[in-house]
Amino acid sequence: MNITWTSDLSVGDHSIDDDHKGLFALIDELDSADMSHDYINSILDRLKAYTRGHFGREEVYMKNAGFPAFDEHLAQHENFVEWLETIRATYARFPQSPFIIGDSVNGYLQRWLRQHILEEDMKYRDYILGQGSSAE
């Protein structure tokens, strides 16, 4: 994938940054993974845990900062959760397709990383940083 987390991608909150680093690592892992049945189940479980923890932390962070595009950002999180539940249900029905599911998950996560984290999350970071500098 060749996208590496760097400090310029920080949103200003260590726990959220650590979550993002974890997603970068997961995507890199997927690039070279053996798409076995157990591995796909593990990835889907890890993604479900990621969404619960990360989205919750991020939503509290944005809400506390008064981020004006909170509802739009929340809708993107909901879309991700819906996608993940669809993938989980599909794989439960067709467990003989780990390569297809693995490729689908990998492709979606790469697009999510580029669009959501690198663009959308930077919007609330910039808003929050702007609030801090205007308060000085």
Side-chain angles (χ1 to χ4, degrees):
M1 182 173 140
N2 298 333
I3 295 179
T4 305
W5 193 94
T6 57
S7 61
D8 62 316
L9 299 175
S10 173
V11 297
D13 180 272
H14 294 294
S15 64
I16 293 172
D17 289 342
D18 287 346
D19 290 343
H20 288 164
K21 290 174 192 176
L23 189 57
F24 274 71
L26 180 74
I27 293 169
D28 284 341
E29 180 184 327
L30 269 168
D31 272 346
S32 60
D34 173 24
M35 297 298 175
S36 68
H37 177 71
D38 289 341
Y39 182 75
I40 294 298
N41 279 326
S42 168
I43 290 295
L44 295 175
D45 289 346
R46 288 165 60 189
L47 283 171
K48 187 171 185 176
Y50 175 86
T51 59
R52 278 192 206 131
H54 172 66
F55 289 169
R57 281 185 287 280
E58 194 172 73
E59 290 161 11
V60 166
Y61 185 64
M62 288 185 294
K63 193 168 220 156
N64 288 343
F67 180 54
F70 174 79
D71 290 337
E72 292 85 357
H73 201 101
L74 181 62
Q76 291 186 12
H77 287 177
E78 291 168 351
N79 288 340
F80 185 95
V81 170
E82 183 178 315
W83 166 81
L84 180 57
E85 289 307 314
T86 300
I87 287 292
R88 290 174 65 89
T90 300
Y91 192 55
R93 285 190 66 199
F94 304 104
Q96 68 275 21
S97 59
F99 290 102
I100 295 168
I101 295 296
D103 287 346
S104 176
V105 169
N106 193 11
Y108 186 88
L109 289 178
Q110 287 189 30
R111 286 187 301 279
W112 174 265
L113 179 75
R114 287 185 179 97
Q115 195 278 328
H116 186 80
I117 296 174
L118 300 178
E119 294 176 24
E120 296 303 318
D121 286 356
M122 294 301 107
K123 290 178 184 176
Y124 75 73
R125 178 199 65 185
D126 292 346
Y127 172 80
I128 291 169
L129 290 175
Q131 294 295 93
S133 64
S134 66
E136 295 173 2

